Amino acid sequence: MAFNEKKFNKIFNVCILAGMTIMTVILTAFKLVSADTGKLLLLVSAFGSIMGVCSTVASANGKIWTFFFGFFDVAIYAVACFIGAKYGNAILHAVYFVPMQFIGWNQWRKRGNSEENQVKARRFNARQWAFYTLVFLLGSVVSYLILARFDKESADSFIKMAVVLDVIPMMCNILGQFLMSIAYMEQWVFWIGVNIFSILMWLTTYSQTKDSYALIYLVKYSFYLINSLNGLRIWINLSRPEPSKELK
């Protein structure tokens, strides 16, 4: 029996959206009962998480609506990161991701995409791989050196792991968003990195503080990771060169 990709993607998307929504509602309801403070932030974070998973599902399927949902996600996440003392990610989302939602929408429109059509994806060549790898490494080192000087909460050691867990998803986010806006398949390599290190970052936060919103973001990035793996699969197909047509 032949693999029906369209049917699989539809079922997968429904499962991701439904699973994220159900888990968010359950966790939010449970935490609202036990929380004495921070209830408003908890509700807003839950809404942002649902918007975020809608954005990533749309992005994985090459749909321009990713930028509409993404605006709510990144704006709320910037506030949550600031409250959680993740200042690198807070600044990143406020000054970069929020405006990039408008830029991305405009760029995809210029490339002929609409609400119905999938984006025409591209792939790196060897030179581009080398360039973006170098940008990632240099950006990570510079960001770490800057943030480590201002970080007062981490233990005074040679490598501050809390800062590392802040810097790596920050750099992956920057490159992932940029490559998404110009429709490169390799964005998903960086999104997978974002999701893995964000899970580690919020797991560390939750283990130290037991804050309710941290648990919601743990669930959120777990669903993001699953979706990003499917997004990589879809965009590998979207970025395949079209077979040349034989002249008749």
Side-chain angles (χ1 to χ4, degrees):
M1 185 176 179
F3 174 69
N4 190 327
E5 181 172 357
K6 188 173 182 179
K7 184 177 180 180
F8 172 82
N9 288 337
K10 184 179 292 186
I11 295 173
F12 183 90
N13 294 340
V14 169
C15 290
I16 288 289
L17 289 169
M20 178 64 185
T21 301
I22 292 170
M23 289 299 297
T24 300
V25 169
I26 292 173
L27 285 172
T28 302
F30 177 76
K31 290 298 180 180
L32 280 174
V33 173
S34 58
D36 295 324
T37 60
K39 292 185 177 182
L40 179 59
L41 178 61
L42 182 61
L43 289 171
V44 173
S45 297
F47 174 75
S49 294
I50 293 173
M51 290 294 97
V53 79
C54 289
S55 176
T56 58
V57 167
S59 175
N61 288 273
K63 300 295 185 179
I64 199 171
W65 281 105
T66 180
F67 300 108
F68 173 79
F69 297 117
F71 169 78
F72 295 99
D73 175 36
V74 297
I76 293 171
Y77 190 67
V79 176
C81 283
F82 182 80
I83 294 173
K86 306 295 184 294
Y87 299 118
N89 271 290
I91 295 171
L92 168 68
H93 281 74
V95 304
Y96 178 68
F97 273 102
V98 170
M100 280 300 289
Q101 304 312 305
F102 298 97
I103 294 171
W105 180 283
N106 184 55
Q107 289 298 313
W108 280 31
R109 281 289 194 184
K110 287 183 177 180
R111 292 178 59 81
N113 297 117
S114 65
E115 291 85 348
E116 295 82 18
N117 297 330
Q118 287 181 303
V119 66
K120 294 180 180 178
R122 298 179 286 180
R123 292 191 188 186
F124 281 173
N125 55 34
R127 182 175 297 179
Q128 288 171 311
W129 266 116
F131 173 76
Y132 283 104
T133 300
L134 182 61
V135 168
F136 173 77
L137 294 175
L138 289 177
S140 297
V141 171
V142 171
S143 298
Y144 175 84
L145 293 175
I146 293 173
L147 293 177
R149 292 191 62 182
F150 292 97
D151 182 81
K152 303 299 182 183
E153 296 185 3
S154 302
D156 188 14
S157 58
F158 181 69
I159 298 293
K160 296 184 175 182
M161 288 308 300
V163 180
V164 171
L165 293 177
D166 196 8
V167 165
I168 292 181
M170 181 180 73
M171 285 305 303
C172 287
N173 262 312
I174 291 173
L175 292 174
Q177 178 66 63
F178 178 74
L179 294 174
M180 183 180 81
S181 297
I182 57 177
Y184 273 96
M185 178 271 293
E186 286 76 8
Q187 63 169 294
W188 293 102
V189 175
F190 293 102
W191 289 136
I192 290 170
V194 168
N195 297 329
I196 291 174
F197 280 94
S198 292
I199 289 171
L200 294 175
M201 181 180 74
W202 286 109
L203 181 62
T204 301
T205 298
Y206 183 73
S207 65
Q208 293 174 347
T209 65
K210 304 302 180 183
D211 285 333
S212 304
Y213 68 88
L215 187 58
I216 287 180
Y217 283 115
L218 265 175
V219 174
K220 168 184 172 178
Y221 280 102
S222 296
F223 276 92
Y224 275 20
L225 179 58
I226 297 171
N227 183 69
S228 63
L229 295 172
N230 189 53
L232 176 62
R233 181 189 65 83
I234 292 174
W235 277 63
I236 286 174
N237 293 329
L238 288 177
S239 62
R240 292 188 195 280
E242 296 182 1
S244 58
K245 297 180 179 179
E246 296 182 0
L247 295 176
K248 295 183 179 180

